[in-house]
Amino acid sequence: MIAALATTTVIVEAGARSGALNTANHAGQLGRPVFAVPGPYSSPASVGCHRLIADRRAELVVQPRDPAETAVRLCSGERIVAGAEVPIAGARIDPEVLRVVDALTPRRPTPVDEVARRSGLSLVDTTDALALAELQGLVQHGPGGWTTT
């Protein structure tokens, strides 16, 4: 019912099995845009949001206005194909990029080997993910390591 009544669906927290995931799945089946606001990668309450994004069943909310602008576009008659990239939110965030970003802190630079350890990725995968994150403006490299922007 919730998915059918909404123009867009925003999932803020979703465990591996949750009512929020059911709502997101129903919204996707109805062709409605689904957005996710994941918490830390290691949080059990965020597993569902990260899985939705990784499976391309939800867009990552980059700016608070993203879901609202998509709803306005839909109400104006613009057709948005379910599962298609929503240009407002920018490029899709790779799951490995999410892992390295979640492993960082905004104020304290983190060396790449520590980011790899925290994210559970190899050093090569961590370096690649950090490079992608830097291109997307999510992280920056400075003296002593990496920080979120």
Side-chain angles (χ1 to χ4, degrees):
M1 182 72 99
I2 294 169
L5 292 173
T7 306
T8 60
T9 300
V10 179
I11 305 299
V12 178
E13 280 193 349
R17 295 184 57 195
S18 67
L21 281 181
N22 287 337
T23 301
N25 290 329
H26 288 298
Q29 289 172 350
L30 293 169
R32 306 281 204 281
V34 177
F35 290 85
V37 183
Y41 187 80
S42 59
S43 169
S46 299
V47 170
C49 288
H50 286 282
R51 179 56 41 213
L52 286 169
I53 294 166
D55 291 344
R56 297 181 175 241
R57 291 183 291 145
E59 295 290 328
L60 176 66
V61 174
V62 177
Q63 299 288 327
R65 69 176 181 263
D66 294 342
E69 288 182 0
T70 298
V72 168
R73 290 172 53 208
L74 286 171
C75 291
S76 69
E78 184 175 337
R79 185 170 185 275
I80 297 177
V81 178
E85 187 172 315
V86 178
I88 296 169
R92 289 186 186 273
I93 305 295
D94 182 274
E96 290 183 351
V97 170
L98 285 174
R99 289 172 72 171
V100 297
V101 171
D102 283 343
L104 297 174
T105 55
R107 291 175 202 85
R108 197 183 103 240
T110 307
V112 69
D113 58 332
E114 178 65 14
V115 177
R117 187 188 66 73
R118 289 182 189 174
S119 66
L121 297 171
S122 71
L123 193 55
V124 171
D125 289 341
T126 300
T127 304
D128 290 347
L130 285 168
L132 285 173
E134 186 174 33
L135 289 172
Q136 295 171 358
L138 301 172
V139 300
Q140 59 189 13
H141 187 259
W146 294 87
T147 58
T148 57
T149 54

